[in-house]
């Protein structure tokens, strides 16, 4: 999914942007089809010991099982704007699947009704329709593409970052989590001030919460909801206060923070907010004469990294400087390079 977001989101690990650049146009189209158009068919539900084991599972399924899995999710998932994880309805919405799959336009109309026009790419879904009504072709595409991605790109990178991720797990296991709420635990592990209004309901619905350190997600958080299991993806890090030595982890977190500062426009935004106090996104756009999409991308990275604090004000998003985060970055860099 990160490969598909690389052009719209700044601050992801360099491997992501480098891999996107290495993909052929055919690989990019297949990747978008598998990860977006056939998402719920390709997405795992449950656990496997390895990615190759999951690929073998997909290859051994009856093709109709993938088709049924996809359509069952479409009639049970309920999407709500502003909700981090879509909820699963206890009972599927009554749908005439024969009518839905009668032609590409009916299929696209069904998806727009279920998820809203802003979350559906009609052209992509029209192409996906050809696979949805041809389960053997859908299975062949999913398995062949994921296997190619694993062997060519993902497997070598997994082996490279695996020791660092194992360090992140060991460090997090040293935290004393006794008596702490789910939100407090999440803040300790991820190092981010999670918004209680957004994350509280998600944690409340989860029967199990699994934290997944990532070497590639940068300053952002990701979430994958499957049944009653919530998986929270976060940048691999050393939790504060843990006596654990892992130079690779320290360096990775410093790089994420410095990446946010290594851009002229992001520094201009920080300087503007520092001098004028809290600013709305519209004020930033007007003062710096940048496009809305550019400012939105920069503000998202600066907020995710913790340099700016975001809040709602008069229906808009407003941002103020977080001096403690800036000081913390300088201290982390000093500790890493100077030992103090």
């Amino acid at each position: 999914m990160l490969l598909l977001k690389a052009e719209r989101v700044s601050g992801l690990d360099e491997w992501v942007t480098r891999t996107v650049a290495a993909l052929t146009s055919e690989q990019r189209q297949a990747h978008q089809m598998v990860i977006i158009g056939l998402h719920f068919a390709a997405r795992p539900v449950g656990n496997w010991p390895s990615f190759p084991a999951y690929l073998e599972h997909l290859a051994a399924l009856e093709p109709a099982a993938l088709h049924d899995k996809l359509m069952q999710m479409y009639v049970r998932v309920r999407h709500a704007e502003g909700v981090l994880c879509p909820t699963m309805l206890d009972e599927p919405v009554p749908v005439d699947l024969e009518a839905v799959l009668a032609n590409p336009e009916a299929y696209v109309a069904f998806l727009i009704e279920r998820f809203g026009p802003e979350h559906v790419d009609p052209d992509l879904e029209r192409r996906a329709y050809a696979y949805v009504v041809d389960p053997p072709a859908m299975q062949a595409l999913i398995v062949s593409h994921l296997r190619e991605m694993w062997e060519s790109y993902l497997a070598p990178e997994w082996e490279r970052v695996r020791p660092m991720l194992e360090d992140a797990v060991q460090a997090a296991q040293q935290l004393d989590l006794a008596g702490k709420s789910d939100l407090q635990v999440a803040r300790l592990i991820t190092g981010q001030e999670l918004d209680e209004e957004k994350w509280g309901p998600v944690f409340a619905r989860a029967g199990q919460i699994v934290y997944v350190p990532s070497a590639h997600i940068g300053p952002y958080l990701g979430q994958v909801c499957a049944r009653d299991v919530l998986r929270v993806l976060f940048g691999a890090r050393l939790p504060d206060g843990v006596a654990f030595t892992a130079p690779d982890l320290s360096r990775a977190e410093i790089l994420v923070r410095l990446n946010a500062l290594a851009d002229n426009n992001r520094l201009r935004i920080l300087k503007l907010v520092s001098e004028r106090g809290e600013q709305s996104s519209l004020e930033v756009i007007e003062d710096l004469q940048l496009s809305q999409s550019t400012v939105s991308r920069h503000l998202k990275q600066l907020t995710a990294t913790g340099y700016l604090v975001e809040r709602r004000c008069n229906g808009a998003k407003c941002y103020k400087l977080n001096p403690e985060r800036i000081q913390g970055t300088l201290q982390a860099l000093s500790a890493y390079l100077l030992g103090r």
Side-chain angles (χ1 to χ4, degrees):
M1 189 65 77
L2 292 180
L3 295 176
L4 295 175
K5 293 184 176 182
E7 295 180 354
R8 305 189 309 274
V9 177
S10 58
L12 300 177
D13 182 74
E14 181 186 3
W15 177 87
V16 177
T17 53
R18 190 170 64 247
T19 301
V20 170
L23 295 177
T24 66
S25 59
E26 292 79 9
Q27 287 174 323
R28 292 187 188 195
Q29 290 179 13
H31 196 67
Q32 186 184 41
M33 180 60 66
V34 170
I35 302 301
I36 301 296
L38 305 175
H39 176 80
F40 287 118
R43 169 177 157 175
V45 177
N47 298 306
W48 279 263
S50 68
F51 194 78
Y54 181 60
L55 289 179
E56 292 306 315
H57 163 77
L58 287 176
L61 285 174
E62 288 295 326
L66 282 178
H67 170 274
D68 293 344
K69 176 185 170 188
L70 176 72
M71 298 310 299
Q72 286 170 10
M73 290 297 292
Y74 279 158
V75 299
R76 297 193 65 172
V77 170
R78 179 177 62 190
H79 180 83
E81 195 62 40
V83 175
L84 289 174
C85 279
T87 56
M88 293 288 293
L89 299 174
D90 294 331
E91 296 294 333
V93 175
V95 172
D96 183 351
L97 290 181
E98 185 175 345
V100 166
L101 299 176
N103 55 67
E105 296 308 319
Y107 180 68
V108 170
F110 163 72
L111 295 178
I112 291 175
E113 181 184 356
R114 295 293 297 131
F115 298 99
E118 67 277 16
H119 298 291
V120 176
D121 180 340
D123 291 336
L124 174 64
E125 298 300 347
R126 288 187 190 99
R127 297 196 302 273
Y129 171 82
Y131 293 100
V132 175
V133 297
D134 186 354
M138 176 169 63
Q139 182 184 42
L141 174 66
I142 291 173
V143 173
S144 64
H145 176 70
L146 292 182
R147 181 171 285 131
E148 179 184 12
M149 292 297 293
W150 172 255
E151 294 174 353
S152 299
Y153 303 104
L154 304 178
E157 181 65 1
W158 167 246
E159 291 304 322
R160 185 185 76 84
V161 303
R162 184 172 181 171
M164 183 178 73
L165 300 181
E166 290 173 343
D167 283 345
V169 172
Q170 291 183 42
Q173 288 173 339
Q174 294 187 19
L175 288 169
D176 180 8
L177 306 179
K180 293 181 171 57
S181 68
D182 289 335
L183 191 63
Q184 290 172 325
V185 169
R187 287 170 174 166
L188 281 174
I189 292 177
T190 66
Q192 298 205 24
E193 282 297 320
L194 304 184
D195 183 74
E196 185 171 4
E197 185 176 340
K198 284 186 177 180
W199 285 90
V202 179
F203 289 143
R205 292 198 305 267
Q208 181 185 23
I209 304 171
V210 180
Y211 290 93
V212 185
S214 167
H216 305 106
I217 201 169
Y220 305 104
L221 294 179
Q223 59 282 329
V224 179
C225 310
R227 296 178 180 171
D228 65 340
V229 179
L230 168 66
R231 290 178 174 85
V232 180
L233 282 71
F234 66 99
R237 61 185 296 272
L238 280 178
D240 296 338
V242 170
F244 191 92
T245 302
D248 286 347
L249 276 178
S250 300
R251 183 173 63 252
E253 187 168 9
I254 290 172
L255 283 172
V256 167
R257 296 196 192 187
L258 293 182
N259 181 283
L261 302 177
D263 179 89
N264 180 51
N265 285 327
R266 286 194 289 273
L267 282 177
R268 291 173 66 202
I269 291 172
L270 290 175
K271 186 65 171 174
L272 176 69
V273 177
S274 173
E275 292 178 342
R276 300 190 183 180
E278 186 176 66
Q279 298 285 294
S280 70
S281 55
L282 183 59
E283 288 174 320
V284 174
I285 291 170
E286 292 177 345
D287 284 326
L288 300 186
Q289 294 296 297
L290 297 172
S291 69
Q292 188 274 334
S293 60
T294 297
V295 169
S296 176
R297 186 173 68 251
H298 289 324
L299 288 174
K300 185 175 183 180
Q301 183 176 355
L302 290 170
T303 303
T305 316
Y307 293 128
L308 293 179
V309 178
E310 176 187 291
R311 74 177 183 93
R312 281 282 177 182
C313 57
N314 300 322
K317 291 181 179 179
C318 292
Y319 301 86
K320 65 179 180 180
L321 197 67
N322 181 1
E324 291 79 11
R325 190 62 163 178
I326 296 173
Q327 290 294 334
T329 298
L330 297 177
Q331 292 166 4
L333 186 60
S334 177
Y336 181 75
L337 295 178
L338 305 177
R340 61 179 184 272

